Amino acid sequence: MNNLERTLSIIKPDAVERNLSEKIKSIFLKNNLLVKDTKKLHISKDEAAEFYKVHQSKPFYDQLCSYLSSGPIEVMILEGENAVLKNRELMGATDPKNAKDGTIRKLFGVSIDKNSVHGSDSVDNAKNEINFFFNK
Ligand code: CDP
Ligand code: MG
């Protein structure tokens, strides 16, 4: 292993609701991202607002926080070689319409807000986001 990393993945309410968690996890495993820890939870809007605070100035912030707290989510720690970038590649573009074939958002995303998954976008943010949900 040259660059072992950990990143945070969230299976968003639209995907949990459609029972896609196992299918999404199998995509991670097939691509050598190990699921090191996982939990299912239903966060409050205040917790979502804290988690997404980097987006607080964006026009979609309020809707985003309402959405992430609208139903159960599954959060997990993924570990593997270049895990942060690899997860972002497997997820695909933010808007499922623009996501490449075979990516999670292309396969399962419904719309830009109901795009099925979250993934940390840097090693530093991954550490903060893992700490937010797992205290480690
Ligand atoms: O999730 P990702 O890192 O690809 O995108 P982001 O720019 O960090 O935005 C966070 C989330 O906000 C996205 O995953 C979308 O669900 C949502 N969003 C939205 O609802 N409308 C936008 N115009 C942009 C993002
Ligand atoms: Mg992001």
Side-chain angles (χ1 to χ4, degrees):
M1 285 281 181
N2 287 322
N3 190 33
L4 187 67
E5 290 176 351
R6 288 181 161 205
T7 190
L8 184 89
S9 170
I10 304 178
I11 302 181
K12 293 185 179 183
D14 66 276
V16 171
E17 187 178 81
R18 287 176 289 150
N19 290 312
L20 293 169
S21 299
E22 290 311 311
K23 275 191 187 152
I24 292 171
K25 282 188 218 171
S26 76
I27 293 174
F28 295 141
L29 294 176
K30 238 185 284 169
N31 287 277
N32 302 314
L33 290 179
L34 297 181
V35 178
K36 297 299 281 188
D37 205 345
T38 179
K39 62 183 169 191
K40 200 167 166 179
L41 67 173
H42 189 160
I43 60 173
S44 67
K45 189 170 176 185
D46 282 352
E47 288 169 318
E50 177 64 20
F51 178 75
Y52 270 135
K53 68 177 179 229
V54 292
H55 292 303
Q56 61 193 346
S57 63
K58 309 268 174 65
F60 56 84
Y61 180 61
D62 187 67
Q63 201 199 313
L64 175 62
C65 299
S66 295
Y67 176 61
L68 197 72
S69 57
S70 68
I73 58 174
E74 191 165 340
V75 295
M76 65 197 99
I77 300 172
L78 301 178
E79 186 180 274
E81 182 98 15
N82 300 315
V84 173
L85 184 62
K86 190 181 278 182
N87 179 41
R88 296 288 307 186
E89 287 171 355
L90 294 173
M91 288 163 60
T94 306
D95 188 342
K97 284 204 298 281
N98 303 326
K100 287 188 190 145
D101 282 350
T103 61
I104 294 168
R105 284 168 164 171
K106 180 72 172 195
L107 287 167
F108 305 125
V110 177
S111 55
I112 192 163
D113 50 334
K114 295 183 176 161
N115 60 4
S116 300
V117 279
H118 165 86
S120 311
D121 62 4
S122 69
V123 171
D124 272 357
N125 285 338
K127 285 187 183 138
N128 292 335
E129 291 180 1
I130 288 170
N131 198 41
F132 183 88
F133 282 109
F134 292 95
N135 297 312
K136 66 185 182 192

